[in-house]
């Protein structure tokens, strides 16, 4: 059988399995309605908004979002498709993102809180940055970047920062100068950061000596040294490292400062105190930032986002879907190191002139009541977090929210599917039955939401993100490109038919991969400049119920979603292969009560090699190459992997074993016998480690049986 036949056979098998399983496990949930009180104050409470953003008004409908911003020069063309699928939005327009998020609020709101920062140690005071203070600090840091580092328009600056106010300040300082920022999640390893520095060819690294996590001051600067070494291996030399200090006058790291390369920000800042820097008027199409994300190959993709389109999209969706009002106290408990933080902690909320809360630490430190104490103390009105956090808080402190006197009007969930039971706890206990919930589906590539209910206009349905957001027109396609009947409840690949302003512009430095990954699959005419010919392939499985609501079933590519964070199987496997003894490695998802999915790794060692201690080495290597979040739940050393006749590892089969589920038809395998051996070994080991089989929900089942392209 050829590789193609194998693929087709496998696609067919998994189709069969998922349809059957859905029939068994699927259950429609009932609706919940927003309160009259919420509707009365909502930004979008008039159903005519759906008409304004209907397909016949596309693309001009997005003028409504762009008009929320202050433009230096108005655009002449709303959407230019001449170089499809590299869409250009608001062409001819000019603006500055930092001006829009900071300066323009000074006239009315100079001394209103822009950012409230909550340090992890509970005895440390919260820090309030007014819009005026934010303005001063953004200007000073911009002056430093320009004067001390000599940055120029279009340069890239990499940040490897935790949740401290210096991070949004530095982002806005870059935006002020037309410098592209590339923030790498602080929890990623130095090596992962170095790979991203090299890919973006950034000459500057902005970091910090340390930060608090779970009550401990982490040594973070040490990661900068690893990052720089790794970037150098890949041929990129970092010239300057700017090091903030978490605690003034102290140094939290053991890593020495390298003379001529490493500088404490507080020591060079006096030269730039009080300096102002004019915001540079940037073309709408100028890149604002890069955000790396995992995909099918080992190399993370630098998703390049625009200034005008991106900012318009996050501002519009923040207004209508987050229902942000200037007088709100809005708290998105995500990390700014992820796209959610960029769009819905920093850019969207600040463009709307609201108060945005940032928390440094872990949600359960020092106990499961911490989040609710913060909410009570700050009078948070609007709360935003991920299912993994909700599951953790529900597990560790199911009765905690009731002990605190806070009242949310609006809550968001993002990043992975939320189980209906968990949704109901969020609604009843966290939201006290008073808050509306939006379940927002989207991706790093998208800039902002793609699927969600409009909170005052659509009822909520637990477990479904809702309809597409306004101005977004999805369709579900099967493997052959045929449309799955809308509202049929049948699974397929969700695609967005049209471009939208928040869509990323390209993969940094790799336009071919951009086209190949997101458009090639369903494009029938590569020369077409008509957007109708270019559906965006989201790499997510989904189904649409008869009411038009979508249920997102998870990734159809080789990505494992751990606590809402995307980890590529190839990245995990390449790290495992760096251990000398390892001959082959395969990473698969395993359903996890709290994290949604966790990673399991299967290893075959080289012939004649002693496997003793290899599992530990693999775990440690993954942690140092990627970061703690990628640490595998289990590493299984097996004699051989199940493979297709063309020699490709069948991850779907081992994923089923790891999840105690049926492996399905394995007659197309070259070595079907190994499956029984592996199953016997893994299942008995798991039981010995206290893991028990349990029934998976339809969504969980989908995420396993559809997992992974073979390769
Ligand atoms: C998944 C996060 C179900 C999905 C903003 C997507 C979701 C990936 C949801 C993107 C949701 C995100 N329901 N699944 N509400 N939101 N996902 O790039 O598989 O970190 O492709 O962006 O998370 O993750 P990313």
């Amino acid at each position: 059988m050829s590789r193609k036949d194998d693929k087709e056979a496998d696609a067919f098998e998994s189709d069969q399995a998922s349809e059957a399983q859905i029939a068994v496990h699927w259950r429609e949930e009932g609706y919940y309605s927003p309160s009259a009180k919420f509707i009365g104050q909502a930004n979008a409470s008039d159903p005519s908004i759906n008409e304004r953003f209907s397909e016949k008004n596309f693309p001009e409908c997005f003028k409504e979002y762009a008009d929320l911003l202050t433009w230096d020069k108005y655009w002449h063309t709303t959407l230019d498709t001449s170089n499809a699928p590299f869409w250009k939005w608001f062409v001819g327009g000019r603006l500055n993102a930092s001006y829009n998020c900071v300066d323009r609020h000074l006239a009315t709101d100079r001394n209103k809180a822009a950012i409230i920062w909550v340090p992890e140690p509970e005895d440390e005071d919260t820090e309030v940055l007014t819009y005026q203070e934010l303005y001063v600090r953004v200007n000073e840091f911009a002056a430093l970047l320009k004067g001390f580092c000599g940055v120029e328009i279009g340069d890239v600056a990499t940040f490897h920062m935790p949740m401290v106010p210096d991070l949004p300040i530095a982002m806005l300082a870059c935006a002020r100068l037309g410098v592209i920022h590339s923030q790498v999640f602080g929890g990623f390893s130095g090596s992962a950061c170095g790979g991203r520095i090299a890919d973006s060819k950034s000459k500057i690294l902005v970091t910090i000596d340390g930060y608090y996590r779970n009550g401990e001051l982490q040594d973070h600067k040490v990661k900068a040294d690893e990052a720089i070494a790794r970037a150098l291996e890949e041929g990129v030399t970092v010239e300057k490292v700017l090091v903030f200090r978490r605690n003034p006058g102290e140094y939290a790291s053991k890593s020495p400062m390298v003379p001529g390369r490493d500088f404490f920000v507080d020591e060079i800042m006096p030269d730039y105190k009080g300096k102002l820097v004019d915001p540079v008027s940037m073309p709408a199409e100028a890149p604002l930032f890069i955000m790396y994300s995992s995909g099918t190959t080992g190399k993370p993709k630098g998703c390049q986002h625009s200034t005008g389109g991106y900012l318009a999209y996050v501002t519009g969706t923040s207004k209508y879907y987050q229902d942000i009002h200037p007088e709100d106290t809005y708290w998105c408990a995500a990390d700014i190191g992820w796209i959610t933080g960029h769009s819905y902690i920093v850019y969207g909320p600040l463009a709307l002139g609201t108060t945005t809360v940032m928390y440094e630490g872990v949600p359960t430190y020092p106990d499961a009541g911490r989040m609710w104490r913060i909410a009570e103390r700050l009078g948070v009105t609007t709360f935003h977090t991920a299912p993994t956090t909700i599951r953790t808080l529900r597990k560790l402190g199911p009765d905690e929210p009731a002990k605190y006197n806070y009242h949310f009007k609006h809550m968001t969930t993002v990043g992975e599917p939320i189980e209906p039971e968990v949704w109901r706890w969020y609604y009843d206990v966290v939201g006290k039955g008073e808050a509306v919930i939006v379940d927002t589906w989207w991706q790093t590539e998208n800039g902002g939401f793609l699927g969600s209910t409009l909170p005052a206009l659509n009822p909520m349905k637990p477990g479904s993100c809702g309809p597409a957001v306004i101005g977004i027109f999805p369709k579900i396609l099967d493997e052959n490109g045929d449309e799955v009947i809308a509202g049929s409840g049948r699974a397929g690949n969700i695609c967005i038919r049209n471009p939208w302003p928040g869509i990323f512009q390209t993969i940094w430095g790799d336009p071919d991969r951009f086209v190949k990954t997101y458009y090639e699959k369903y494009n029938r005419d590569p020369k077409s400049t008509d957007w109708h010919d270019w559906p965006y392939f989201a790499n997510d499985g989904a189904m649409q119920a008869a009411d038009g609501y979508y249920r997102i079933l998870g990734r159809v590519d080789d990505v494992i979603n751990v606590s809402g964070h995307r980890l590529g199987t190839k990245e995990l496997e390449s790290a495992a292969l760096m251990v000398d003894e390892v001959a082959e490695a395969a990473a698969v998802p395993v359903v996890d009560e709290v994290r949604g999915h966790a990673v399991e790794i299967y290893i075959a060692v080289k012939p004649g090699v002693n496997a003793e201690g290899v599992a530990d080495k693999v775990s440690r290597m993954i942690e140092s190459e990627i970061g703690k979040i990628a640490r595998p739940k289990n590493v299984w050393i097996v004699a051989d992997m199940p493979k297709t006749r063309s020699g490709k590892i069948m991850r779907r089969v081992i994923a089923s074993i790891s999840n105690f589920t049926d492996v399905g038809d394995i007659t197309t395998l070259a070595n079907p016998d190994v499956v029984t051996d592996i199953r016997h070994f893994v299942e008995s080991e798991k039981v010995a480690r206290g893991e028990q089989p349990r029934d998976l929900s339809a969504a969980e089942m989908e995420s396993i049986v559809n997992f992974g392209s073979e390769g």
Side-chain angles (χ1 to χ4, degrees):
M1 223 190 224
S2 70
R3 168 136 194 247
K4 182 162 173 286
D5 291 342
D6 274 351
K7 278 207 157 183
E8 273 167 15
D10 299 336
F12 178 73
E13 281 165 31
S14 47
D15 253 19
Q16 298 282 303
S18 48
E19 287 293 324
Q21 261 123 18
I22 285 161
V24 176
H25 294 264
W26 186 252
R27 191 165 73 88
E28 273 292 311
E29 299 290 328
Y31 293 116
Y32 288 68
S33 298
S35 66
K37 190 170 165 202
F38 180 83
I39 297 170
Q41 60 81 63
N43 284 328
S45 56
D46 177 353
S48 71
I49 194 168
N50 290 306
E51 173 62 20
R52 296 203 303 278
F53 281 83
S54 66
E55 196 169 342
K56 75 174 185 336
N57 293 327
F58 177 85
E60 294 306 321
C61 55
F62 283 115
K63 179 177 182 302
E64 185 167 335
Y65 282 3
D67 281 342
L68 296 170
L69 305 178
T70 305
W71 293 78
D72 305 329
K73 184 164 174 267
Y74 219 62
W75 63 92
H76 52 71
T77 306
T78 304
L79 170 63
D80 173 356
T81 65
S82 60
N83 186 24
F86 299 89
W87 318 115
K88 291 196 173 71
W89 282 90
F90 310 122
V91 186
R94 287 187 164 268
L95 77 170
N96 182 280
S98 170
Y99 178 88
N100 271 280
C101 292
V102 187
D103 308 37
R104 68 169 177 154
H105 305 308
L106 297 180
T108 49
D109 288 315
R110 194 178 289 278
N111 279 309
K112 164 185 171 172
I115 297 175
I116 302 180
W117 179 61
V118 183
E120 190 191 72
E122 217 165 355
D123 54 4
E124 246 183 71
D125 289 336
T126 55
E127 189 177 319
V128 178
L129 274 95
T130 61
Y131 275 95
Q132 171 70 15
E133 180 66 15
L134 183 62
Y135 170 75
V136 169
R137 304 236 329 234
V138 167
N139 271 283
E140 289 174 345
F141 197 70
L144 184 153
L145 281 173
K146 207 171 148 179
F148 187 75
C149 303
V151 294
E152 285 171 16
I153 293 174
D155 284 353
V156 180
T158 298
F159 304 165
H160 195 200
M161 292 285 285
M163 287 290 284
V164 292
D166 303 305
L167 171 55
I169 289 169
M171 289 163 68
L172 292 163
C174 284
R176 198 165 190 86
L177 299 169
V179 168
I180 302 163
H181 57 76
S182 171
Q183 152 70 1
V184 177
F185 172 55
F188 273 156
S189 67
S191 174
C193 176
R196 287 154 174 81
I197 291 176
D199 187 74
S200 63
K201 302 206 171 35
S202 144
K203 299 265 186 275
I204 292 171
L205 175 63
V206 179
T207 188
I208 193 165
D209 61 339
Y211 61 98
Y212 288 95
R213 241 190 122 63
N214 247 328
E216 274 172 38
L217 189 55
Q218 309 286 321
D219 182 343
H220 190 64
K221 163 64 169 61
V222 67
K223 291 186 178 177
D225 301 333
E226 292 159 12
I228 286 162
R230 163 81 187 269
L232 193 60
E233 276 168 29
E234 297 187 24
V236 172
T237 308
V238 173
E239 288 163 6
K240 287 204 166 75
V241 182
L242 300 178
V243 185
F244 284 99
R245 275 194 268 209
R246 170 62 177 78
N247 295 318
E250 293 169 20
Y251 185 47
S253 176
K254 291 202 179 65
S255 140
M257 295 288 280
V258 176
R261 187 196 75 183
D262 301 352
F263 302 91
F264 287 124
V265 175
D266 54 274
E267 286 179 359
I268 42 180
M269 190 51 99
D271 289 346
Y272 302 96
K273 270 276 170 235
K275 291 253 166 13
L276 295 182
V277 177
D278 279 343
V280 180
S281 188
M282 297 298 290
E285 275 303 295
L288 179 63
F289 67 87
I290 307 170
M291 160 80 36
Y292 282 88
S293 191
S294 298
T296 305
T297 73
K299 196 173 170 212
K301 300 177 283 199
C303 297
Q304 176 187 318
H305 283 280
S306 73
T307 305
Y310 170 82
L311 197 62
Y313 198 69
V314 299
T315 307
T317 49
S318 290
K319 177 165 178 179
Y320 293 136
Y321 287 90
Q322 298 302 99
D323 197 51
I324 289 179
H325 301 249
E327 63 274 21
D328 285 336
T329 301
Y330 167 84
W331 181 18
C332 172
D335 193 292
I336 297 177
W338 307 113
I339 191 71
T340 299
H342 275 48
S343 300
Y344 298 113
I345 298 178
V346 181
Y347 285 112
L350 292 178
L352 290 172
T354 196
T355 299
T356 185
V357 176
M358 279 178 76
Y359 171 52
E360 177 179 32
V362 277
T364 48
Y365 183 82
D367 58 62
R370 182 67 192 275
M371 303 292 271
W372 321 127
R373 287 198 289 283
I374 295 172
E376 177 185 80
R377 170 146 187 148
L378 301 182
V380 172
T381 54
T382 315
F383 183 67
H384 187 155
T385 193
T388 185
T389 306
I390 305 170
R391 288 184 212 112
T392 307
L393 294 169
R394 174 174 179 247
K395 192 170 167 200
L396 300 181
D399 306 320
E400 287 300 308
K403 298 182 189 161
Y404 298 94
N405 183 22
Y406 67 84
H407 295 276
F408 298 147
K409 64 173 178 178
H410 179 292
M411 304 192 298
T412 301
T413 168
V414 60
E416 42 168 340
I418 181 164
E419 301 74 8
E421 319 81 87
V422 178
W423 190 100
R424 278 189 281 272
W425 183 77
Y426 196 33
Y427 184 83
D428 291 330
V429 180
V430 177
K432 307 182 177 184
E434 301 164 335
V436 73
I437 294 181
V438 288
D439 177 345
T440 57
W441 165 67
W442 60 297
Q443 312 169 307
T444 306
E445 293 86 340
N446 309 150
F449 306 144
L450 294 182
S452 167
T453 47
L454 254 175
L457 292 171
N458 308 125
M460 303 157 253
K461 188 166 76 172
S464 297
C465 67
V469 305
I470 51 176
I472 296 290
F473 309 106
K475 63 178 169 184
I476 298 180
L477 298 176
D478 67 15
E479 281 300 311
N480 304 319
D482 292 325
E483 191 162 347
V484 172
I485 299 164
S488 64
R490 288 199 45 228
N493 295 324
I494 189 162
C495 297
I496 309 300
R497 291 195 289 113
N498 61 305
W500 65 97
I503 181 78
F504 68 139
Q505 300 176 291
T506 187
I507 295 176
W508 181 258
D510 202 347
D512 293 344
R513 187 176 175 200
F514 170 76
V515 178
K516 198 168 178 306
T517 312
Y518 302 97
Y519 293 100
E520 201 170 68
K521 187 174 174 83
Y522 292 125
N523 168 259
R524 293 196 174 125
D525 174 8
K527 296 214 159 48
S528 172
T529 57
D530 178 350
W531 61 260
H532 295 87
D533 291 326
W534 295 95
Y536 167 81
F537 171 48
N539 283 288
D540 269 329
M543 52 203 288
Q544 190 188 29
D547 58 7
Y549 281 32
Y550 293 94
R551 181 177 281 241
I552 303 301
L553 303 167
R555 305 288 304 187
V556 296
D557 59 2
D558 298 314
V559 166
I560 305 179
N561 188 330
V562 178
S563 301
H565 304 147
R566 281 161 61 173
L567 300 173
T569 54
K570 288 286 198 305
E571 286 163 77
L572 294 156
E573 291 162 7
S574 325
L577 285 163
M578 290 173 74
V579 174
D580 273 350
E581 291 90 336
V582 174
E584 283 183 311
V588 296
V590 56
V591 170
D592 183 273
E593 206 191 327
V594 170
R595 291 175 285 180
H597 288 108
V599 174
E600 287 203 356
I601 307 269
Y602 286 69
I603 296 290
V605 293
K606 291 175 183 161
V609 158
N610 183 355
E612 184 84 23
V614 171
D616 273 353
K617 284 192 194 167
V618 166
S619 281
R620 281 201 303 272
M621 187 63 88
I622 288 175
E623 202 177 313
S624 76
E625 281 300 296
I626 303 173
K628 277 204 179 77
I629 68 164
R631 194 190 307 163
K633 182 166 186 173
N634 291 303
V635 178
W636 306 117
I637 312 275
V638 295
D640 197 6
M641 306 269 189
K643 288 184 186 146
T644 62
R645 277 166 218 162
S646 51
K648 305 290 170 195
I649 299 174
M650 288 285 281
R651 294 197 188 79
R652 180 178 62 72
V653 171
I654 48 181
S656 301
I657 296 176
S658 273
N659 288 281
F660 297 99
T661 61
D662 186 11
V663 292
D665 183 1
I666 50 169
T667 51
T668 56
L669 290 188
N671 54 353
D673 296 350
V674 305
V675 175
T676 321
D677 297 344
I678 300 176
R679 178 179 282 282
H680 181 74
F681 161 65
V682 169
E683 286 188 353
S684 53
E685 269 295 313
K686 278 186 176 254
V687 172
R689 295 179 192 187
E691 290 183 40
Q692 291 300 333
R694 66 168 172 90
D695 279 345
L696 300 187
S697 70
E700 287 169 343
M701 190 70 93
E702 264 290 328
S703 68
I704 301 306
V705 294
N706 276 345
F707 180 72
S709 57
E710 291 70 48

